[in-house]
């Protein structure tokens, strides 16, 4: 832990909010919350902005309320504020956010003696903040903690600067305005963070677009293989855009989750503004890839986007509806693979996938509820489930998983596969393997040993890979003519 700055006199400590006290921007988060709860007001944003940024902020703040308890505060800044109070210094929250939002932060922290914020049409940023603090404490009569170029005029009037999470150029610029008492660095956004933000590991789900190609035994068809690969890429880009939007709209609930609070946007490791720019860029890239594929695929991907957007905005809060939608989103990848290659999916494949993915979607909710139960919560934040629903979910999930395997057994017994698998009886060996895998998934879920995303679990689980390899080998043997 770095030593705390030692002022020569007991000057007031004034602290900026956005990017300094918290690792995010309240205006950006307020716009997202407005878009999530009252999207029809989005058209009014330019109108409000024409009357000034302060008016824009106040209009938004009057319509949405951020949860100050879940904001990603910088603990090092909080430590400096507590030390200043312990030394008998006055502490001031000096922010360009609205007064109501600043008051919410103060109500949560209780660390400030005074609040100076945007109000009455005056945006308290830059020169105006410098003028306000100078009027209160005089030139060189206060110390100021900030993070951005907008804070340079304030540092110019201060007795000392605490620079938080800023680039080297801003640190140097601050040093030209006032003595830099301390520099609190933050890790800069890296490529790995962006990869994590778009959930690149979730692209494993998009391998489902290759299933129609594999089921039709056309892996050697180079045109179909290329089409499946492009479909995989387009689906990945589109899905990543949705994941980013989902994370931006779920900031409050994710910050209350034991694991999700470490996500790049929820933790403040990536600025919310970057996510707002990243989502449309990913969608644009997906659209460009779609231009290389049949129109039927573009239509399927558009329907996927609409359904997953509906899930993000509303359906994920509806009990049972959410897991049905998740199952459909998985199945849509199979349909997209068919649309890209022109290979029609069979009834058996669609029936198997619906039951399997419904079971796995319930695994996700059950695992999350188990975490909530251990944390002594009675429900899931941002979801409609209660811990008392767990027995029902368990029976539904196990039942649908077994139904998927029943469909597999009926498929093996059906006359539809005689031409494709001359030695189809060999496939029966895959049924107990599937039963084992499904039973193991639910056993580990019930014990609290399951990752809340079963796809991530399967990707990391050697036994899952072994089952897949053995089943693939059985299918190869069953399809061989001796």
């Amino acid at each position: 832990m770095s030593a705390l700055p030692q002022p020569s006199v007991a000057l007031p400590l004034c602290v900026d909010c956005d990017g300094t006290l918290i690792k995010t921007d309240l205006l950006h988060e307020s716009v997202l919350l407005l878009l999530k709860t009252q999207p029809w007001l989005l058209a009014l944003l330019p109108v409000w902005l024409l009357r000034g940024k302060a008016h824009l902020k106040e209009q938004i703040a009057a319509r949405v309320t951020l949860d100050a308890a879940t904001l990603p505060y910088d603990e090092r800044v909080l430590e400096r504020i507590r030390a200043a109070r312990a030394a008998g210094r006055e502490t001031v929250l000096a922010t360009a956010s609205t007064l109501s939002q600043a008051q919410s932060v103060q109500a949560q922290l209780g660390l400030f003696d005074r609040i100076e914020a945007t109000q009455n049409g005056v945006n308290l940023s830059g020169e105006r903040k410098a003028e306000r603090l100078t009027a209160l404490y005089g030139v060189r009569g206060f110390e100021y903690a900030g993070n951005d170029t907008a804070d340079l005029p304030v540092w110019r009037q201060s007795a000392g600067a605490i620079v938080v999470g800023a680039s080297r150029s801003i640190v140097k610029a601050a040093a030209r305005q006032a003595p830099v008492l301390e520099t609190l660095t933050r890790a800069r956004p890296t490529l790995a963070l962006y990869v994590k933000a778009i959930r690149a590991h979730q692209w494993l789900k998009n391998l489902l677009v290759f299933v129609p190609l594999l089921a039709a035994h056309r892996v050697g068809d180079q045109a179909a293989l290329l089409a499946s690969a492009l479909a995989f890429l387009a689906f990945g880009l589109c899905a990543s855009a949705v994941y980013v939007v989902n994370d931006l709209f779920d900031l409050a609930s994710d910050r209350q989750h034991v694991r999700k609070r470490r996500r790049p946007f929820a933790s403040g490791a990536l600025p919310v503004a970057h996510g707002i720019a990243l989502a449309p860029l990913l969608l644009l890239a997906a659209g460009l890839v779609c231009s290389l594929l049949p129109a039927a695929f573009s239509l399927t991907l558009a329907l996927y986007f609409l359904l997953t957007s509906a899930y993000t905005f509303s359906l994920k809060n509806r009990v049972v509806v959410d897991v049905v939608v998740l199952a459909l989103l998985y199945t849509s990848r199979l349909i997209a693979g068919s649309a890209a290659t022109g290979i029609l999916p069979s009834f058996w494949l669609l029936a198997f996938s619906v039951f399997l993915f419904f079971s796995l979607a319930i695994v996700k909710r059950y695992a999350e509820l188990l975490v909530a139960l251990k944390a002594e919560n009675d429900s899931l934040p941002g979801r409609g489930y209660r811990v008392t629903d767990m027995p029902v979910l368990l029976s539904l999930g196990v039942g649908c998983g077994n139904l998927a395997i029943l469909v597999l057994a009926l498929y093996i017994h059906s006359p539809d596969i005689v031409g494709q698998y001359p030695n189809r009886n060999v496939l029966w060996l895959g049924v107990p393997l599937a039963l084992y895998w499904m039973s193991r998934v639910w056993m580990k879920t019930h014990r609290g040993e399951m990752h809340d995303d079963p796809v991530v679990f399967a990707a990391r689980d050697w036994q899952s890979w072994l089952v897949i390899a053995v089943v693939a080998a059985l299918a190869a043997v069953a399809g061989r003519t001796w």
Side-chain angles (χ1 to χ4, degrees):
M1 182 182 299
S2 59
L4 299 181
Q6 299 297 322
S8 56
V9 292
L11 297 176
L13 175 62
C14 303
V15 181
D16 177 44
C17 185
D18 299 323
T20 303
L21 178 64
I22 58 174
K23 303 174 186 177
T24 187
D25 189 293
L26 296 184
L27 175 59
H28 297 158
E29 298 216 5
S30 298
V31 170
L32 287 172
L33 187 55
L34 182 72
L35 180 59
K36 179 181 179 180
T37 58
Q38 303 173 66
W40 57 88
L41 294 178
L42 186 63
L44 292 179
L45 293 182
V47 179
W48 293 338
L49 185 58
L50 286 174
R51 297 185 58 182
K53 199 169 182 179
H55 182 75
L56 171 71
K57 293 178 180 179
E58 291 174 332
Q59 290 299 315
I60 296 174
R63 289 166 173 79
V64 298
T65 302
L66 295 174
D67 186 358
T70 64
L71 293 174
Y73 296 97
D74 191 317
E75 287 297 328
R76 300 167 305 168
V77 177
L78 294 178
E79 180 184 293
R80 271 71 183 164
I81 299 170
R82 294 188 186 103
R85 288 176 64 85
R89 301 169 62 190
E90 182 179 1
T91 54
V92 183
L93 179 59
T95 176
S97 296
T98 64
L99 179 61
S100 61
Q101 291 173 336
Q103 289 172 335
S104 296
V105 170
Q106 165 61 3
Q108 173 64 29
L109 300 177
L111 291 177
F112 298 100
D113 302 307
R114 186 184 185 96
I115 295 176
E116 295 296 332
T118 293
Q119 59 178 317
N120 300 325
V122 178
N123 185 39
L124 199 70
S125 178
E127 294 288 355
R128 288 182 174 177
K129 185 186 289 187
E131 292 169 1
R132 179 75 59 84
L133 295 179
T134 302
L136 289 172
Y137 305 110
V139 176
R140 312 297 181 199
F142 60 94
E143 292 174 2
Y144 180 71
N147 71 294
D148 205 352
T149 53
D151 297 312
L152 293 175
V154 188
W155 280 320
R156 188 180 306 126
Q157 304 299 325
S158 72
I162 299 176
V163 186
V164 182
S167 64
R168 291 182 179 178
S169 61
I170 292 178
V171 174
K172 292 179 180 178
R176 291 193 291 268
Q177 311 302 320
V180 174
L181 302 175
E182 189 175 20
T183 300
L184 301 178
T185 60
R186 287 182 189 149
R188 311 305 296 174
T190 61
L191 179 60
L193 271 178
Y194 289 103
V195 170
K196 184 177 180 180
I198 67 172
R199 300 195 210 174
H201 66 280
Q202 296 284 8
W203 284 36
L204 285 170
K205 298 175 183 177
N206 303 324
L207 291 173
L208 292 170
V209 302
F210 290 95
V211 171
L213 183 70
L214 295 170
H217 300 276
R218 289 177 55 182
V219 179
D221 186 334
Q222 293 186 358
L225 185 60
L226 176 60
S228 295
L230 290 173
F232 171 81
L233 178 59
F235 235 99
L237 292 168
C238 180
S240 288
V242 175
Y243 289 139
V244 170
V245 172
N246 183 74
D247 285 354
L248 292 176
F249 285 156
D250 268 1
L251 289 172
S253 58
D254 282 356
R255 286 166 181 162
Q256 299 177 61
H257 193 279
V258 64
R259 184 182 62 83
K260 294 179 181 180
R261 65 188 178 190
R262 293 191 291 270
R263 286 177 174 173
F265 297 115
S267 65
L270 280 183
V272 168
H274 289 200
I276 295 173
L278 185 60
L281 288 176
L282 289 168
L283 279 179
L284 177 61
L288 292 175
V289 177
C290 281
S291 66
L292 304 174
L293 291 167
F297 174 81
S298 299
L299 177 60
T300 304
L301 189 61
L303 291 175
Y304 166 84
F305 177 75
L306 291 175
L307 183 58
T308 195
S309 297
Y311 173 83
T312 296
F313 281 98
S314 173
L315 299 182
K316 68 182 176 184
N317 301 321
R318 301 180 184 275
V319 175
V320 180
V321 173
D322 64 330
V323 288
V324 171
V325 171
L326 285 175
L328 291 176
L329 290 175
Y330 276 108
T331 306
S332 68
R333 290 168 165 87
L334 297 177
I335 298 172
S338 297
T341 58
I343 301 172
L344 294 178
S346 69
F347 159 79
W348 299 106
L349 180 60
L350 291 177
F352 173 78
S353 64
V354 167
F355 286 120
L356 173 66
F357 296 136
F358 186 76
S359 179
L360 295 181
I362 295 178
V363 164
K364 183 179 179 68
R365 289 292 175 262
Y366 190 93
E368 291 175 340
L369 279 169
L370 198 58
V371 172
L373 177 63
K374 291 179 179 179
E376 299 182 351
N377 296 324
D378 59 359
S379 62
L380 280 179
R383 302 289 187 269
Y385 292 94
R386 304 169 185 170
V387 294
T388 53
D389 298 327
M390 292 176 67
V392 178
L393 290 176
L394 181 62
S395 60
L396 284 173
V398 173
C400 284
N402 288 329
L403 280 174
I405 297 170
L406 176 61
V407 170
L408 175 62
L410 292 173
Y411 170 66
I412 295 172
H413 186 68
S414 74
D416 298 348
I417 69 167
V418 174
Q420 291 182 327
Y421 297 98
N423 308 295
R424 65 173 179 172
N425 287 334
V426 174
L427 294 175
W428 280 106
L429 296 175
V431 174
L433 285 174
L435 279 170
Y436 165 75
W437 185 83
M438 181 58 66
S439 300
R440 180 169 175 267
V441 163
W442 272 103
M443 186 66 74
K444 293 184 77 67
T445 302
H446 187 58
R447 290 178 175 178
E449 300 171 0
M450 173 62 64
H451 190 285
D452 61 15
D453 190 329
V455 173
V456 174
F457 161 77
R460 297 174 178 174
D461 179 53
W462 69 269
Q463 292 193 40
S464 296
W465 284 105
L466 180 60
V467 168
I468 292 172
V470 173
V471 170
L474 292 173
V477 171
R480 184 172 179 178
T481 55
W482 302 91

